[in-house]
Amino acid sequence: MNKVTPFDHLVLILGTLLMVTPIAIAVMTSTHTAADIHVNGLSLLPGGDGIETYSTVLTHKGGFTGQVTGARMMMNSLILGLGFAVGKIVLSMLAAYALVYFRFRFATAMFWVIFTTLLLPLEVRIMPSYQVMAELGLLNTYTGLIVPLLASATGTFYFRQFFKSVPDELLEAARIDGAGPVRFFIDILLPLSRNMIAAVFIIMFVYGWNQYLWPMLMTTEESFFTLMRGIKQILQVWIGSQIPDYNQAFALAVLALLPPVAIVVVFQSWFIKGLTESDK
Amino acid sequence: MASIDIENVSKIYPGSTARSVADIALNIKDGEFIVLVGPSGCGKSTLLRMVAGLEDISEGEIRIGTRRVNEVEPAHRDIAMVFQNYALYPHMSVRDNMAYGLKNRAVPRPEIEARVAEAARMLELGPYLDRKPRALSGGQRQRVAMGRAIVRQPAAFLFDEPLSNLDAKLRVSMRTEIRRLQKRLGTTSIYVTHDQLEAMTLADRLVVLNAGRIEQIGTPLEIYHRPASTFVASFIGAPAMNLLDAEIAGNRLRIGDEVLDTPVSGAAGKVTLGIRAEDLMPADRGLSFTPDDIEDLGAQRLVHGFVAGQPLTLVISPATRVEDCRRLAPKPGALHVFDTLSGARLDLHTEHDSRPVLPVGQGL
Ligand SMILES: Nc1ncnc2c1ncn2[C@@H]1O[C@H](COP(=O)(O)OP(=O)(O)OP(=O)(O)O)[C@@H](O)[C@H]1O
Ligand SMILES: [Mg+2]
């Protein structure tokens, strides 16, 4: 290791500024009134309107039906994010468990098929998925929002690699200790995968939270709108001479940031361990 | 507690045609400590794992007690195994590691606690019961692995090189401890090692394996004193037994131009002559020896050299001068004669009693 020089600090400070400034601007701007923003543009200093804007955003019933509040949208996003993360983890762990620990024909071939779908982005299969859901009558339901996207090649791949790194002797010791396949999975494998689960959870939660295209297709009822759609919605109210509610859009964007940040902060120590080392 | 009978067992791994374990027959008495020893890849672990139920038995039958176990799950074979890397559950405390197998068998909780406490006392693990394996030294982990086996009170212990990850000193003390525990519990044990010293000190009976086959079964001393083949002779004992190309001619053994005084019965022809390094002594008459290199081990010296152009090693006391070793004579009854082609022991009568090679009293 070289000695840390002032230049290193300079680079780090510049990097930090680059990352933090846009967020700071968003937070600060959201505390000004819409008119103020329209006239003066973005702002780096706090305005006096913060509390009012945020309470409006969270509780004001907006939209065409006048039913949907920011809090409601936030809840929808949370349901989507959590449903995604939990569902994907459960499914991919089970799939990886079968691939690694059970000898069945074409297991390797099957793994590679799953692996190849990693390369296909969601958009490729979005139309067929939509059609299936539509015919099952699952449009405008949480089930329809979450279930079709649960199969996760990324998750399966991560868990497969992790399970392969668990020493065989552990399985053998457990077999001698009288643990069957279910016991082994619950008592041994699950606790050992803790860090991996945390890592996959964060990635998948943020992925679900940020979904835009799929919820837009799947939901037409406003009570199912997510935050990501809400932000867009506000900026679209550009009718006549009305000024869009910039302040509310910024407030929503800031609110949309909070849960992923909270989750990363909570899980970060596990997250880093999960990605860098396997617990011996 | 049970006997273990291994009847003509073979293992053919899927995708291979060769027998990794070939036609092994071995009857282990109740309470006996059997050590399987042999070079790497000879099939020791495979045989042990077939007894444990971790590998299918391709041919033959294994019985634990009187019950045939070929189709029985490892959990129901009433055995416990200690692995080379210990295979402790990393996320469980020492206590839970030991208790896990009992919990799965629905042993009542007070009983589990009593057994764990007893094992912890026996292995001096008391202070560590609530620690995770990660926070233990190698020797302590090894004890936990032993404890996990003991609390089960199985019919048999199976050990697969349990000490090979420990340093030399710890290995010696754990060795004695395992031996002591086994005698105290009286549990039938099969122990795999490639360390011949471990094998000699632990075993009631030793099974020497070579390329999937049994070369010899016997007590450590039987095997040391009467190796059944050149393979066993060179594998058991350190330094390895000297093996020389020799010839029987006129009731005498000839090594090149050298002739040994000891008369032997047996058909004339080429043989392999085995003499342990510690069975050779400086003498007035005998094989002429050209010393080449000396290793001083403190308590003894190893002298490497040549007899009739063939390498030979000799153990002498530090007090003996190498210059005195120009001529060597074997101790009475210390000659081993093997068939040159098959390597099998030839039981020739060497009449050392009637005509001693050395005057009585002479020695190292
Ligand atoms: N899963 C397997 N598939 C095919 N062949 C195997 C398998 N496991 C072991 N073998 C072969 O069987 C033979 C015996 O292996 P085994 O592991 O029993 O040797 P070992 O005596 O325990 O050696 P070591 O002292 O190195 O542990 C070896 O030749 C090995 O290549
Ligand atoms: Mg082995």
Side-chain angles (χ1 to χ4, degrees):
Chain A
M1 281 277 277
N2 290 328
K3 236 174 110 48
V4 179
T5 64
F7 179 73
D8 296 337
H9 281 288
L10 189 70
V11 172
L12 284 177
I13 289 169
L14 283 179
T16 314
L17 281 182
L18 199 68
M19 307 283 252
V20 168
T21 316
I23 295 171
I25 290 177
V27 173
M28 290 311 168
T29 310
S30 71
T31 58
H32 292 266
T33 61
D36 194 9
I37 299 169
H38 195 65
V39 176
N40 297 325
L42 301 175
S43 169
L44 252 177
L45 297 172
D49 243 19
I51 296 169
E52 200 198 334
T53 309
Y54 278 91
S55 63
T56 316
V57 161
L58 280 174
T59 58
H60 177 71
K61 295 182 173 13
F64 298 113
T65 52
Q67 286 303 313
V68 57
T69 63
R72 171 92 205 183
M73 290 192 281
M74 200 143 173
M75 194 188 76
N76 286 339
S77 285
L78 261 180
I79 290 175
L80 195 60
L82 290 177
F84 250 56
V86 173
K88 277 184 181 243
I89 286 172
V90 170
L91 267 189
S92 52
M93 276 190 93
L94 291 176
Y97 186 49
L99 283 173
V100 175
Y101 287 99
F102 292 82
R103 238 168 279 144
F104 52 95
R105 273 196 287 175
F106 312 125
T108 323
M110 239 176 254
F111 169 73
W112 285 110
V113 169
I114 294 175
F115 187 76
T116 326
T117 64
L118 257 181
L119 307 173
L120 301 177
L122 168 66
E123 286 70 17
V124 173
R125 59 189 170 92
I126 208 159
M127 283 324 290
S129 297
Y130 176 80
Q131 177 147 15
V132 171
M133 287 302 114
E135 281 171 14
L136 285 174
L138 289 173
L139 298 182
N140 287 317
T141 60
Y142 289 121
T143 322
L145 265 179
I146 294 170
V147 172
L149 303 189
L150 282 189
S152 166
T154 325
T156 310
F157 179 70
Y158 276 149
F159 282 114
R160 180 190 115 121
Q161 297 311 98
F162 176 74
F163 290 167
K164 282 196 162 251
S165 75
V166 173
D168 286 343
E169 282 86 354
L170 230 45
L171 170 68
E172 292 171 350
R175 275 181 75 189
I176 293 178
D177 267 345
V182 178
R183 270 265 154 95
F184 175 68
F185 184 73
I186 293 174
D187 288 350
I188 315 279
L189 222 43
L190 211 55
L192 287 183
S193 314
R194 205 185 54 180
N195 293 330
M196 204 53 176
I197 292 175
V200 175
F201 183 83
I202 295 183
I203 295 171
M204 293 307 171
F205 177 80
V206 173
Y207 180 70
W209 181 266
N210 287 335
Q211 277 301 315
Y212 178 69
L213 187 58
W214 178 247
M216 200 156 85
L217 272 178
M218 281 299 294
T219 57
T220 45
E221 269 175 39
E222 289 189 327
S223 59
F224 286 101
F225 278 14
T226 60
L227 270 183
M228 297 307 137
R229 287 198 67 179
I231 298 172
K232 184 84 166 66
Q233 207 74 19
I234 288 172
L235 294 174
Q236 268 171 348
V237 197
W238 188 281
I239 314 158
S241 62
Q242 195 180 351
I243 298 169
D245 290 323
Y246 291 121
N247 55 340
Q248 295 188 12
F250 275 116
L252 271 186
V254 170
L255 286 178
L257 266 177
L258 291 181
V261 169
I263 284 193
V264 171
V265 168
V266 169
F267 286 104
Q268 68 166 343
S269 65
W270 290 358
F271 175 73
I272 291 164
K273 265 196 223 154
L275 288 185
T276 53
E277 52 157 333
S278 57
D279 215 54
K280 60 171 174 169
Chain B
M1 247 129 284
S3 59
I4 300 176
D5 295 300
I6 300 172
E7 307 281 5
N8 305 325
V9 161
S10 298
K11 175 71 186 180
I12 303 158
Y13 277 106
S16 117
T17 50
R19 282 157 197 257
S20 300
V21 163
D23 214 20
I24 298 276
L26 177 63
N27 298 307
I28 302 170
K29 291 192 282 287
D30 184 11
E32 203 174 12
F33 200 126
I34 290 284
V35 175
L36 304 179
V37 68
S40 185
C42 70
K44 309 179 291 287
S45 301
T46 306
L47 182 59
L48 191 77
R49 292 164 56 82
M50 282 194 285
V51 176
L54 300 172
E55 296 287 353
D56 291 334
I57 299 162
S58 311
E59 286 165 17
E61 178 175 281
I62 293 180
R63 287 191 305 277
I64 298 178
T66 50
R67 182 172 62 130
R68 173 188 157 98
V69 293
N70 285 36
E71 291 81 22
V72 178
E73 273 291 300
H76 301 132
R77 290 194 182 192
D78 201 13
I79 46 104
M81 186 151 168
V82 179
F83 294 86
Q84 178 173 4
N85 64 2
Y86 320 134
L88 301 175
Y89 310 120
H91 58 292
M92 293 187 195
S93 65
V94 168
R95 186 193 309 278
D96 291 340
N97 260 287
M98 292 203 263
Y100 186 63
L102 299 177
K103 280 185 194 152
N104 286 339
R105 284 178 174 71
V107 175
R109 181 174 297 238
E111 165 95 25
I112 295 183
E113 272 164 27
R115 287 205 209 169
V116 170
E118 168 67 11
R121 198 187 52 74
M122 239 191 279
L123 295 162
E124 291 158 22
L125 281 171
Y128 312 110
L129 276 178
D130 292 311
R131 285 206 204 163
K132 296 278 168 62
R134 182 190 354 244
L136 298 177
S137 72
Q140 289 161 345
R141 285 182 209 182
Q142 218 289 321
R143 277 164 206 270
V144 178
M146 294 274 300
R148 189 166 65 178
I150 290 174
V151 293
R152 293 261 316 278
Q153 303 179 350
F157 291 138
L158 308 177
F159 300 90
D160 194 350
E161 307 201 19
L163 304 184
S164 55
N165 282 353
L166 302 179
D167 66 57
K169 205 170 155 202
L170 199 52
R171 204 146 60 199
V172 174
S173 68
M174 283 306 294
R175 193 166 79 198
T176 0
E177 194 159 345
I178 289 181
R179 174 81 189 162
R180 197 170 47 78
L181 270 172
Q182 195 270 342
K183 283 294 154 238
R184 180 155 146 207
L185 300 168
T187 310
T188 317
S189 302
I190 308 182
Y191 187 105
V192 163
T193 179
H194 57 240
D195 178 342
Q196 51 106 7
L197 207 61
E198 225 169 272
M200 293 287 284
T201 49
L202 282 172
D204 290 329
R205 275 196 300 159
L206 207 57
V207 178
V208 185
L209 291 173
N210 180 23
R213 295 178 184 281
I214 294 184
E215 286 275 334
Q216 190 172 8
I217 307 178
T219 66
L221 288 183
E222 271 168 26
I223 288 186
Y224 182 81
H225 289 302
R226 292 181 58 80
S229 64
T230 47
F231 175 83
V232 178
S234 58
F235 195 76
I236 299 290
M241 185 188 280
N242 297 300
L243 293 172
L244 305 166
D245 291 333
E247 199 177 350
I248 298 181
N251 281 350
R252 287 289 189 280
L253 275 163
R254 302 173 63 99
I255 306 160
D257 296 334
E258 308 283 331
V259 182
L260 271 174
D261 267 351
T262 326
V264 290
S265 63
K270 289 198 183 309
V271 292
T272 300
L273 173 65
I275 312 172
R276 294 208 181 272
E278 53 272 33
D279 286 342
L280 284 164
M281 294 177 289
D284 301 330
R285 306 177 299 139
L287 306 171
S288 78
F289 176 67
T290 325
D292 179 35
D293 187 25
I294 302 166
E295 285 179 69
D296 267 308
L297 302 180
Q300 49 179 222
R301 319 171 84 175
L302 299 187
V303 186
H304 303 284
F306 297 93
V307 163
Q310 301 187 51
L312 183 115
T313 302
L314 169 72
V315 175
I316 55 176
S317 77
T320 316
R321 296 190 314 155
V322 178
E323 294 75 59
D324 295 340
C325 302
R326 296 286 174 203
R327 292 206 163 265
L328 303 173
K331 283 186 195 166
L335 298 183
H336 308 266
V337 183
F338 303 98
D339 187 286
T340 304
L341 289 179
S342 69
R345 183 184 190 84
L346 297 174
D347 271 314
L348 304 183
H349 189 57
T350 54
E351 292 167 51
H352 51 83
D353 295 330
S354 50
R355 268 195 271 171
V357 198
L358 296 166
V360 178
Q362 182 174 348
L364 295 179

